[in-house]
Amino acid sequence: MLLGAMALSSCEDAKYDTLTNQAYILQTNTEANSSQKLTIGNDPIVTSINVRLSDKALESSSYRIVYDAAALEKYNLKNETSYTALPESAFSLSSAETTIEAGTSVSSSIAL
């Protein structure tokens, strides 16, 4: 019981560094276990993808969005999940590249 109490009380003052110089997909949010569901069927579905920076950009920068089924496999192994990658023929992007302009933190949209 003493070990359990120590484990629970030792995490109360955990300090986390603020992340800087990070780029991520805006629609993934930063909340744990958040997701956006898309129902795959016969009718096309369109949603947007944006790159977001942790801070405003000091200068314009471009980002390339790529499909990587191997990255999903690594994610599944690390997180003990079983997500399945869609075949590349099941979706398309309006562009593979997007830009974040200086002074902003969100890129132009890419349609998925």
Side-chain angles (χ1 to χ4, degrees):
M1 285 181 45
L2 180 60
L3 278 175
M6 287 175 51
L8 290 174
S9 65
S10 65
C11 295
E12 288 181 22
D13 63 348
K15 293 185 171 101
Y16 300 101
D17 293 333
T18 302
L19 295 177
T20 57
N21 298 322
Q22 304 292 312
Y24 58 94
I25 301 295
L26 174 64
Q27 287 73 14
T28 61
N29 296 319
T30 56
E31 298 173 29
N33 300 319
S34 66
S35 63
Q36 180 178 0
K37 293 184 181 184
L38 300 174
T39 304
I40 307 299
N42 293 330
D43 296 328
I45 299 169
V46 178
T47 191
S48 296
I49 296 175
N50 302 81
V51 175
R52 181 177 175 89
L53 298 178
S54 54
D55 300 301
K56 288 185 178 181
L58 299 177
E59 57 187 47
S60 295
S61 53
S62 295
Y63 296 85
R64 189 163 186 77
I65 306 297
V66 296
Y67 175 82
D68 188 352
L72 181 59
E73 289 176 24
K74 289 178 186 176
Y75 178 89
N76 282 336
L77 286 172
K78 180 178 179 182
N79 296 286
E80 298 180 11
T81 55
S82 58
Y83 295 116
T84 304
L86 289 173
E88 283 189 76
S89 61
F91 65 91
S92 63
L93 297 172
S94 61
S95 174
E97 195 168 292
T98 187
T99 301
I100 298 177
E101 299 298 332
T104 66
S105 60
V106 178
S107 73
S108 52
S109 294
I110 294 177
L112 167 66

